Amino acid sequence: MAEPVGIMLAEHFSTVTQQRQAAKLGLWAWLITELLLFAGLFLCALIIRIQHPASVTLAATHLKFWIGAANTAVLICSSFTMSGAIVLSRIGWRAGMLRFMLATAALGTLFLLLKGFEYYQDYVEHMVPFLSGPYVLAHDQASRLFVDVYFITTALHGVHLITGVSILLVLTWQASRPHFLTRHQNRIEVYGLYWHFIDLIWMIVFPVLYVLNR
Amino acid sequence: MARGDLRVLLRVLRVPALTLAALLALLAINVALGATLPFRNVWIVEAGVTACMVAIVLLVSMDILEETPLIRLFSSIGFFWLLIMFGMTLTDYAYR
Amino acid sequence: MSGAPSPAVYPLLLWPQAASQAAVHVDWLIFAFTAVTLLLTVPIFLAITYFALMYRSGRQVDRGHTSDRNVKIELSWMLIPFFLTLAFFAWGAQIFDVEKHAPANALEIQAIGRQWMWKFQHPGGQAEINDLHVPTGQPVLINMISQDVIHSLYLPAFRVQMETLPGRYTQLWFKAERPGQYRLYCSEYCGTDHSVMDGLLYVMSPSDYARWLSQAGSSQSLAALGKRLFSNYGCSGCHGAGATIRAPDLAGLYNRPVPIDGGGSVIADDTYIRDKILNPDNNLIAGYKQVMPSFKGVIPEDELMQLIAYIKTMETSS
Amino acid sequence: MSPSDAVMRDPGTPQATMGRPSDYLHAQHTLRSWFFTTDHKRIALLYLASITVFFVFGAIAAGLIRLCLVVPNGQIFTNDTYNKIFTMHGVIMVWFFLIPSIPSTFGNFLLPLMIGAKDVAFPRLNLLSWYVFMTGALFTMATLVIGGVDTGWTFYAPFSTTYSNTYVIPALLGVIVVGFSSILTGLNFVVTVHMMRCPGMTWFRMPIFIWTLYATSLIFLLGTPVITLALILLVMERAFHIGVFDPRLGGDPVLFEHLFWFYSHPAVYIMVLPGMGVITELVAAFAQKRVFGYRFVAYASIGLASITFLVWGHHMFVNGQSQLASTVFSFLSFAVAVPSAVKVYNWTATIHKGNIRLDTPMLYAMGYIGLFVLGGLTGLFLATLAVDAHLHDTYFVVAHFHYIMVGGTMLAFLGGLHYWWPKFTGRMYPEAFGRVGAFLIFVGFNVTFFPQFILGYLGMPRRYHDYPPEFQLLNILSSAGSTILAVGYFFPMIYLTWSLWFGKRAPANPWQARGLEWTTSSPPPPHNFAVTPRVDFDPYDYAIKAREVG
């Protein structure tokens, strides 16, 4: 069942280790920028909490806490399946790896579906202040700020997840061809880092928006 | 699936499965705290639990424990910068 | 430029006019800082020029005995300039601290910045556009707000400026000492006519100022105007004496902590009172049922300032 | 001694004659070979060409501003047109010229050469970075030229989100996209420095220019995402009313300034740090001497990149920031003086007892040191709380940052361009014209910007189209200086272009400089080195030479 595992050396690198480390370091550098991108939103959320504590509590109680919690669990499971794909890629078990990758993509899609349902619920409950229509907390102006941050943060995270699932599907298709693990095993490793990090961001988003002092 | 395959699968999936269990347990704590709000300033506990979850993902799922010092440095530098950003901004908002 | 007669126009001005002792103090700071700057930089300029000429390629000079590091020298030229300049940090911070704390007896003038004009209201109710008249010998506190974008009230003769923000009051104070005409500007870019959002600052002796106030014509003080608004907008129906609805008592409210629903408290400063008039649902007050309607879009900024002026006087009346 | 070592030790040795066209310029000729190249050297030239075009646009805008300010009541343009012109000047110069200038051109070209690598770590990402840059920049440029934006390059809310009636959203989108280009370049450089150094090239054998590029790349990575987010929030608020800065909802416009300056103050060091690196190379090469206190200078680069993230609040002393925050930010700003002082004094010490040639690059370097010192110290004035309360948003600020950006970055850029021109193109520039150009730029710059220090101190606010008559004489002086500056800029543009066809052919090492980039041919072969270099010597290994001449 096991295939040989390795990577193909690119022209401008001198060793495989160098190439592997470079890819990993490059991805970590990218993850730093992702973290700081979301950190700006967390900072906004914190400042709004400081300036309008009561309004934020009011707005937070209108968020769909249980959908958020379920979604966190879904992403934690997807983290597990991604880890599974990585460990199987290391031992060259391609068929198992592919199944885990598809499962990861499915869980990511499930997250997005739940998220879409949550947005729909928000819409039905008039929790979408920027659309022309009633806003249930219209009497409390400052609550809009927090709801705005909620939508921007979750949408930005959603964009990352959509990108992630798309790349994952392409990668799965590539990996389904023979000799993939022989040449490009580190693509799975590097992609896994990205997926884990999107999950990690959500693990911060969930408490920051839904849980803290709701 | 052959018996040997299953044994291999269980062996390599041990750590991911333990991680999964730990993360779900921590999430359960946070959800329970968030749903019931048992005491004042419960956010301190919730923030601590979140920090644990983040640490587990970083250290175990993302293999920081087994990485070179360079990668470890790069994985922590972003969080350090976050402290700078939040700390310095709070010298404004907390003392206005 | 505004049509008013301009201050003394010099063909080439090299030192700005100062209308206060504090401005002269800032000038001293800048002067001393410039001197230290020259002390630190002129030797570099001279050395570079001298070395460049002295050690030009082809000249027969002694190029021996150089080293490429010397930790002691390097540490000293790292740290000595730093500590020298640190004195100016302390000096500047000390002046800034004074600039941030107005004396209690300051004459309070209200200012509103909007695209693209300044509106000033004196305590006696006199209002003026773009120009500002102030007396000498008395601290003047300018309490200001913006109606739209960020502006900044810049009074170079006092060496101070402060931005006006939408939705929040900011302050600036000075004590004028030299009568004359000076310029005032908006220094924060605010759109089309930013560069004509300026005017003249008239510093007058107290008697001239009193004469100007009487000529500027206003029958009622800011607080009295506010009192009239207080009943016109129906505030007195709930907050007034003998009201049937249980509304928070405003007497003595100003600058006191107000308990907030859900714990904590906020100080009832100008910004807080303004915010409560416009958005009564924000940060509910503990122990009261919220029934007050919002006055957002109903009361303009200048009337808000008059209402707040009245609410402040309620402190003394109780 | 191995054969490759021999090549390194004696730069005068002629390269193995592989015969032209073997260099990267002549390896292939099709347009396709330029626009789809993954060769870092060709990508550098793509950047060089594009930022030069953007610079010309920005400079024309600057000329129009100075033309307009000759008269106090601004009759040449309407207020709106003037506002659009200075916004165009700021946006183009900051985002499309200064930030990418040295890192994307010299950095791309020289980073692999100086550390002995065949290419950067991710060559295709490098090309992508250029395309991303061009997409964003051309998009914003089109907006600026067709409709115009009047927010200033700082895009402060709520003016940009609510009150401006111009094409703010397209301009912002372009700037956001360009930010991704910065991130990709920074990422590439960081990984390249860590992973691609040739055998023997330890950290303390790297040229200072590489240290500064590394520090700059860290700022790209740590700062850019925050501005990206801040600008996205502006777009959201303006386009869809999903905002967090809107004061009508209780939002805080000052929060935007925090997020904006968290990147934009470090961005100053994105512009300045690589300039410092270039100057260090020039000073060492034209003094034929080791850099004095190499380690301190290297640490100072990283120090500057770190401290610069702690001082952004000094842009906000008069905007309602808490007094505590202002005081802390003021204090930390003074700390920037420490690493800056190291650089300046160490350059001076490097010149001491050197074997100095006053060629054009060295003239630019000496000009740079003077102007950077003045610009830096006036920065300390502005970091002083009470002084800033007077000088904030006046022409003093304008003069200060032009001393840093033009006097600093621009002179370093021009100096470096002359120094490495033979390496880039294989041609020499005409020396006499070079010196005249450098002199004109130095004089023109000072005549333009020194009067602005006085104007600011007298209280003339910046971004003023219509100013009081007592400021006219100094404004005329400043405008007159800008014409000299413009003539100065024309010089290199013309003779450098001329030299592409008619310049003398350059040897591998025309300056007798040390450093790996001079050990390969001019212009270098597609893969930089015939044999992978092996380094067993310190950087700036000039000691032997200096003793011989002395």
Side-chain angles (χ1 to χ4, degrees), chain D residues 166-186:
Chain D
T166 51
Y167 298 93
V168 181
I169 295 175
L172 285 172
L173 290 176
V175 173
I176 290 171
V177 171
V178 167
F180 284 102
S181 162
S182 300
I183 289 177
L184 295 180
T185 302

Side-chain angles (χ1 to χ4, degrees), chain A residues 51-101:
Chain A
Q51 296 198 317
H52 308 283
S55 305
V56 170
T57 307
L58 183 66
T61 49
H62 279 76
L63 299 184
K64 313 295 167 290
F65 179 76
W66 291 105
I67 301 185
N71 255 342
T72 316
V74 167
L75 278 194
I76 288 175
C77 292
S78 81
S79 240
F80 166 74
T81 52
M82 194 67 230
S83 293
I86 294 171
V87 291
L88 292 190
S89 82
R90 285 177 192 160
I91 59 171
W93 187 347
R94 195 154 57 94
M97 175 192 82
L98 288 173
R99 287 201 188 107
F100 269 119
M101 285 165 81

Side-chain angles (χ1 to χ4, degrees), chain D residues 14 133 143 158 257 273 275 329 335 346 359 364 372 387 390 415 424 432 438 478:
Chain D
F133 172 71
T143 317
E257 296 175 31
L273 269 170
F329 278 121
N346 283 21
D359 292 323
Y364 278 114
F372 174 76
V387 179
H390 174 44
F424 291 175
S478 177

Side-chain angles (χ1 to χ4, degrees), chain D residues 80-81 84-85 88 140-150 165-168:
Chain D
D80 272 329
T81 311
K84 287 176 180 174
I85 292 174
M88 177 168 155
T140 301
M141 286 291 294
T143 317
L144 293 176
V145 173
I146 294 166
V149 180
D150 68 347
N165 294 316
T166 51
Y167 298 93
V168 181

